[in-house]
Amino acid sequence: MASNLPIPLPPRTPTPPPDDPPNAPDNSSRLDVQDKDSLSPLVDSFPTQRGSLNTEGSNRLSPTRASFTLSPSDNVPQNSQGDNGSAGPFNFKTTTMAKSPVVKSNIGQRRGHKYKHSSISHQIFLEPPPRAPLALPNSLPIPTFKECRASMSKDQKTRFWWSVCHMFVAAYTLWSAHGSLAMTALSHLILFDSLGALLCVSVDVLSNFEVWKRSSVRHPFGLERAEVLAGFAMCVLLLFMGMDLISHNLQHFLESSGHEPHHSHAHERVSVGSVDVTALLAISSTLISAIGLKNHGRIGKAMRFGYIESLPSVLSNPSHFLTLSCSTLLLLLPLVSVRLYNWLDVLLSSTIAISMCVIGVRLVKTLGSMLLMSYSGPGVKDVIRDIEADPSVFGVDDARFWQVHYGLCMANLKLRVSGSEENLIRLRERISSLIRNRLGGGYGSGGQKWEVSLQFTIEKS
């Protein structure tokens, strides 16, 4: 009896109403969406076919099949869906996949932050303000040797050939020394002067180009600091030449004390009453280079000796003073006896060697501090003391004085002041004038150029 009973059909899954209201007229097969019991599982509102079910009818709504399909009597195609959504339990739409690969084009698109233009991003990620382009170029072309030679004027060529002649004078002085220690020391001094003359000509030629004085990102102060580096190398050479002369004098002293000499030194002197031509050549070449080429002029300004500073312009330079005084004494040596000549020759050579070492150490210290961007000149403490004595200044928080090259120095001061705006303007001008007059020698004196920058912190009085 139980096998003859019909198998109950499973309930169909209700289809949700479409989002858009139907425009077509009401069909009999469409469910009343507005009826609250139209989708109730307790109400038998789903049309079914009554009768005996065969094997195909019993399996058409089986969950084990690949798809739920209606019987052909429903008159609904399998792959089509009507507007009422009664084609199946789920409203699946058949889509056709493209066989060709999908090409994604991102040309012109911005990578990175996807939310850059969102409303929240405008409050967090702010665009940087536009910057004006730098007034300084990144770098400037450095001239080659061929370009330097093509840019030389007639006067510069004359000065260059004279510096070469000055070197020949130094070589001739060394060749004609005849074992005289004083004449050997004089040849070292003339070599130092000739190198200084050549350096002055090179600086004059390089100043024809824009890269020498114009600032750039790569060379903030131009190529003028290259002159400081070359002068530093010359001063190291002068120091080593002085040490070489001292060792030579010690060797000569040991030989004269009875030790066997390693090399014979035949000291030949100029005949009595004659004029030493080599000493005259040394004096004339030194004067021409000092007056015409102004060699060691910048070094003389950077290094000041109080003992000879009051002398004329040529003799106030320690290098010129040492060369000229040594040449003049060598002119007077033929007027003395042979025995006194030997003692004076050794004494003069030792004096020149020690002087070369002293000047070399002083120059190395001065130019080394210049390469390290510091100022080693006198008068800084007096300037700070005068600034602190001003009634508008409460104190000096920071004071930096440094020298870039021979012609440029900089002063940066941070002060605590009080007063009106007009008084602060006058104070700024007074401090700038004080630094330029005390440290730079004043306007028109040919001293270093000082650039002063002041920062005021106003105190409440």
Side-chain angles (χ1 to χ4, degrees):
M1 292 296 292
S3 61
N4 295 329
L5 293 177
I7 301 174
L9 295 176
R12 293 182 59 191
T13 303
T15 302
D19 295 335
D20 298 329
N23 296 326
D26 189 12
N27 297 327
S28 61
S29 62
R30 179 176 300 174
L31 299 177
D32 189 6
V33 180
Q34 297 180 357
D35 189 2
K36 62 180 181 179
D37 295 332
S38 62
L39 297 179
S40 176
L42 303 179
V43 179
D44 187 11
S45 60
F46 300 99
T48 58
Q49 287 187 353
R50 303 294 180 181
S52 61
L53 295 177
N54 52 13
T55 306
E56 182 181 0
S58 61
N59 294 330
R60 67 186 181 90
L61 295 180
S62 175
T64 60
R65 297 190 63 182
S67 60
F68 298 94
T69 57
L70 296 176
S71 62
S73 61
D74 293 335
N75 297 327
V76 180
Q78 181 179 356
N79 295 331
S80 64
Q81 297 183 11
D83 295 336
N84 55 0
S86 62
F90 302 103
N91 294 331
F92 294 128
K93 293 183 179 180
T94 305
T95 58
T96 304
M97 299 298 295
K99 296 183 179 180
S100 60
V102 179
V103 180
K104 181 180 180 181
S105 175
N106 56 357
I107 300 176
Q109 297 181 2
R110 180 183 180 272
R111 293 184 178 182
H113 180 49
K114 297 182 179 180
Y115 308 101
K116 176 176 179 294
H117 300 287
S118 62
S119 59
I120 301 178
S121 173
H122 282 297
Q123 302 176 5
I124 302 176
F125 303 99
L126 300 178
E127 290 287 341
R131 285 186 177 182
L134 293 176
L136 299 177
N138 291 331
S139 62
L140 294 173
I142 298 177
T144 60
F145 179 76
K146 185 178 181 180
E147 294 175 347
C148 292
R149 187 178 59 181
S151 67
M152 292 177 64
S153 61
K154 184 178 180 180
D155 180 61
Q156 292 173 351
K157 291 180 180 179
T158 304
R159 298 172 65 185
F160 170 75
W161 287 114
W162 167 248
S163 63
V164 174
C165 293
H166 201 169
M167 289 185 179
F168 279 109
V169 172
Y172 175 75
T173 306
L174 181 61
W175 176 77
S176 62
H178 300 299
S180 175
L181 296 177
M183 191 65 68
T184 305
L186 179 62
S187 66
H188 287 66
L189 289 175
I190 297 176
L191 177 62
F192 180 70
D193 292 339
S194 63
L195 291 176
L198 182 62
L199 178 61
C200 291
V201 176
S202 303
V203 169
D204 195 13
V205 173
L206 288 174
S207 61
N208 298 333
F209 298 91
E210 189 180 16
V211 70
W212 182 253
K213 289 187 176 181
R214 185 180 177 184
S215 301
S216 61
V217 177
R218 186 173 183 181
H219 303 284
F221 304 101
L223 286 182
E224 291 191 70
R225 283 177 61 83
E227 183 184 4
V228 182
L229 184 60
F232 181 81
M234 287 175 50
C235 297
V236 173
L237 177 63
L238 180 65
L239 179 61
F240 276 100
M241 288 191 299
M243 292 181 177
D244 178 69
L245 288 175
I246 291 177
S247 65
H248 200 69
N249 290 331
L250 291 176
Q251 182 181 0
H252 176 74
F253 175 75
L254 293 176
E255 291 175 1
S256 62
S257 300
H259 294 78
E260 184 179 357
H262 296 280
H263 303 282
S264 60
H265 294 276
H267 294 276
E268 299 180 5
R269 64 185 298 273
V270 182
S271 59
V272 179
S274 62
V275 178
D276 196 345
V277 181
T278 307
L280 286 178
L281 283 176
I283 293 175
S284 60
S285 61
T286 302
L287 289 176
I288 292 174
S289 297
I291 297 174
L293 276 69
K294 298 184 183 303
N295 63 329
H296 307 312
R298 297 179 180 86
I299 293 179
K301 292 177 182 178
M303 181 187 61
R304 301 173 182 177
F305 282 91
Y307 301 102
I308 61 176
E309 193 174 1
S310 59
L311 295 177
S313 59
V314 176
L315 296 177
S316 61
N317 193 310
S319 300
H320 299 157
F321 177 80
L322 190 59
T323 305
L324 294 175
S325 60
C326 178
S327 303
T328 305
L329 291 176
L330 284 175
L331 282 176
L332 299 178
L333 283 183
L335 302 179
V336 299
S337 62
V338 178
R339 184 177 181 181
L340 187 59
Y341 176 87
N342 293 332
W343 282 103
L344 289 178
D345 183 77
V346 175
L347 179 62
L348 182 59
S349 176
S350 302
T351 305
I352 294 175
I354 295 174
S355 301
M356 290 171 66
C357 291
V358 171
I359 294 175
V361 170
R362 182 77 174 270
L363 285 175
V364 165
K365 181 181 178 181
T366 302
L367 299 182
S369 62
M370 196 181 302
L371 289 175
L372 296 176
M373 305 291 282
S374 62
Y375 181 72
S376 60
V380 176
K381 295 182 179 179
D382 297 335
V383 169
I384 296 179
R385 189 183 303 111
D386 292 342
I387 293 175
E388 291 176 343
D390 192 279
S392 301
V393 178
F394 281 93
V396 179
D397 294 338
D398 192 10
R400 302 293 177 88
F401 297 85
W402 45 296
Q403 188 170 1
V404 180
H405 48 76
Y406 292 116
L408 178 62
C409 300
M410 303 188 74
N412 308 104
L413 293 91
K414 185 177 180 181
L415 310 176
R416 288 181 287 107
V417 298
S418 65
S420 61
E421 188 69 24
E422 297 179 357
N423 292 335
L424 295 181
I425 294 176
R426 285 196 295 266
L427 178 63
R428 188 182 297 272
E429 294 177 355
R430 178 180 176 275
I431 293 177
S432 300
S433 177
L434 176 66
I435 293 175
R436 292 190 180 101
N437 292 330
R438 290 284 188 87
L439 303 180
Y443 293 99
S445 62
Q448 293 92 352
K449 177 184 176 182
W450 279 87
E451 292 186 359
V452 184
S453 62
L454 303 174
Q455 181 180 355
F456 289 163
T457 302
I458 301 177
E459 299 284 341
K460 296 181 179 180
S461 56

